[in-house]
Amino acid sequence: RGDASESGRGAVGSGRVPRTPHERLLAGLFAEVLALGEHEVGADSDFFALGGHSLLATRLISRLRAVLGVELPLRALFETPTVAGLAAELGSADATSRPELRPAARRPGDPLPLSFGQRRLWFLYRLDGPSATYNMPLVLRLSGALDRDALRAALGDIVTRHETLRTVYAEGADGVPYPRVLDPADVGAVSDPRVVEAPGADVETLVAEAAGHRFDLAVEPPLRVTLFATGDEEHVLVLALHHIACDGWSLRPLSRDLATAYAARLAGRAPAWAPLPVTYADYAAWQGELLGDAADPRSLAARRLDHWRRALHGVPELLHLPTDRPRPAAASFRGDHFSFDVDAEMHAALVGLARSRGASLFMVLHAGLAALFTRLGAGSDIAVGTPVAGRTDAALDDLVGFFVNTLVLRADTSGDPTFAELLGRVRENALGAYANQDLPFEHLVEELNPVRSPAHHPLFQVMLALQNAPTGHFGLPGLRVRGVRVPTGTSRVDVTFSVEERRGADGCPAGLEAVVEYATDLYDRDTVADLAGRWVRLLSAAASAPETPISRLPVLAEEEHARLTRAGDGCRNAAARDITPAGFPALFAARVWECPDAVAVMCGEVELSYRELDERANRFARALAARGVGAEDVVALVLPRSVAWVVAVLGVLKTGAAYLPVDPAYPAERIAYLLDDARPALVIDDPAQVDDTADFPATDPDMPIDPAQAAYVIYTSGSTGRPKGVVVSHTGIASLVASQIDHLRLGVGSRVLQASSPSFDASFWDVCAALLSGAALVLAPVDDPLAGLRDARVTHATVPPSALAAVPEGTGTALETLIVAGEACPPELVARWAPGRRMINAYGPTETTVCATMSTPLDASVAGNPPMGQAIINARVYVLDAALRPVPPGVPGELYVAGPGLARGYLGRTALTAQRFVADPYTPANQPGTRMYRTGDLARTTRDGRLEYLGRADNQLKIRGYRIEPGEIETALTTHPAIAHAAV
């Protein structure tokens, strides 16, 4: 048929020849807009297959408006993109009602108008002062014999031709800004290049400084020219342009006019170019006339605003992406960039996907970005900004000026759509946005009036741009000219993705060049590189299988996936060690044999050696056995913290039974509930029952204990429902103790404080830390648990942060190691307690053998909440999404724990056990059939493999798109005015 091939533009000379007047007209306009020969366009030629895209589509509609005087909706071109199909649509097109863009009468002294875009840039200039944030540096490396006089004259010619390059922006007495165009006779002050002789100099630094010039727009035209002479026939020309005078599309007329003027001046004459049909001031006045008064419902502004109010209703004010640092209260606009390429094969695949779905390449890139952001925890309502040329009238094609507009594109990723479905949603939204692109973004912000914050850009914080505007070829006679990309070191929003297509001579996709500009307030370069890699990875998979749900598209590299899910060498998720599981009695017996005379328990003035404690526990174990207590029985210990309690714990474990600690200080109702629910074989509620065992031998009962047997049953607090008895075996004890010894530096001579309630699993942590390492267990007074911190003998203590906050300054001077656990630790506690000792943050739900992760020693100088650290020895910790897939570092997910320390489940509650203890899809090959526990806690991993706690999954507070942890509410209200306003 002569249609273009999927891989490129293709030749269509053999296609059906346009016959009707409308077909012939459209074929000519297709060729004009796409820069093709008329013989390359047939009646069945597809605009997008010929290389068209949304920007050129807008230009085609503009040309149709100018030539035929009709208003054809942009959607019509996407729906019927062939010459013949679009010709059929012209018959039903409405006559345009737009005012004509024409030169306006200009009388001396009359104030000139600013465009909406210029007003916003002027406001930002007045707010922040002179800045390089909105600079557009154009840097050209010139090789050959440069005629400096001809260049100087040519620059003067283009400054004379384009008024925006010789305009300053003054402020009237009423505070209203107005443009003041300098007389052409004064252009030398603007266009004369500052010449710098720089052979052997650090040209890159000099160029960056020139490109980053800070314009004082009130007195200084928005163009500054510098010429660096780096050799006899080597120069670098820097045109520092402010965005208020120029946009990306302006580079085409700018390059053409500069080449024309330079060639003319070399020949000793002025350039003979056609006059421009209008000036920028004419455009600014026409823009106001075109839009009309938004208060008038018949005006274009009112109709466009009505669309955007519907399109952006309820849009989140902040896009939550993982960052390296918290968002500051005010953005600094400092930035950097990261560049990467996409090969021709993937480029062709993306183009093919777009064509097969009646979409553009930009829409495919946008859908990929929206899907990625959802996978990175940003939710399912994703808003990004994108620039559009804003040249909606053909009279603006050859003008240098600031016409570009910004659209807010919203993507709905809810319901886990396939990528093809998401692309359809994105396409529909984009077509609506393109059809309403006349409304300036500045006007939209004024009318919608979102809550403003100096911390971030309004309505969106991420931009996506497909740079397919004709940038022009800067060819100067007798010179080899090469453009040089020079970053300004700024970032206007959090992240900007700029993508440029490369095409072969035949129009075939030849690859994509991409640059990610990012705010260094928030991101490190490695994080942005990962972000770019995830985008490419997801797009590649989507192009291959567009019917795949977005939740199943890969975002992790294979090595990264392995690191986050598998234990072993090189895996930052867990520390694997060959440790044979053993029962508590066997581990304790080893310590008795190694240090029989070392102090094991200290309670006031009472001290027991390891041998003495072992003998007492043996007698009590034999007494229990005589009453029929054995493996898998439960013995309730309703005892206060005391030597008898320690003896009872050891004695029960020696029988092979499990102990149930019940704090006698609990309300009678709770005690009754625990005993009724657990139905223990025996209740010990009097220390005399433990001590009155003199008739039994002191030798070890030597009961065989399988590590899989239950060791203890501890009830949850009941804060998330009815208290549940958690059954924990001996299997994880050996790995726990190995981790304690490694992290906490425990051994003979250490003194471990036991201050928590016996009913908390922290009490078992203390018992293990002391009695299975050779240290002494120091029992705090029952009526004043934290008094133990004042005990000069205590070297190690584990304290909940809330309790630690109440401890007076100067307490615990003898402490060598302090462990905080049980709840999130505020950074101020770290700053207060970390200096002078090892301070460790530990984490573990009741459903594990006390602990799952431990941090390295906390640094008091590091801001922010302390990390949870890494998994303890032989534990596995995953941060997963709702489909049990690992999330990338920095992305919030639910925390899952696996490994030998995992509890067996909930006592007598098999259905709940099955719900919370699920199959581990990442179980090591040598441990088939293992389970993992769903903690209900939110966490994220850092790039170096540490874990950060984010709170309970059901404790998130969201205000107008801001996600806030309960402990951060006060800070958020004081540092983010938008949150405070929305909260009120």
Side-chain angles (χ1 to χ4, degrees), residues 39-70:
H39 67 283
E40 295 183 81
V41 183
D44 298 318
S45 297
D46 184 299
F47 181 80
F48 298 102
L50 290 172
H53 47 72
S54 57
L55 289 177
L56 290 178
T58 300
R59 192 167 179 225
L60 177 66
I61 298 299
S62 173
R63 291 293 292 127
L64 280 170
R65 186 186 301 118
V67 174
L68 292 180
V70 297

Side-chain angles (χ1 to χ4, degrees), residues 42 50 82 105 223 231 360 379 457 499 521 594 601 827 934 960:
L50 290 172
T82 64
L223 169 65
S360 65
H457 193 275
V499 182
D521 285 347
E594 290 171 358
V601 179
R934 180 183 179 185
R960 296 287 290 275

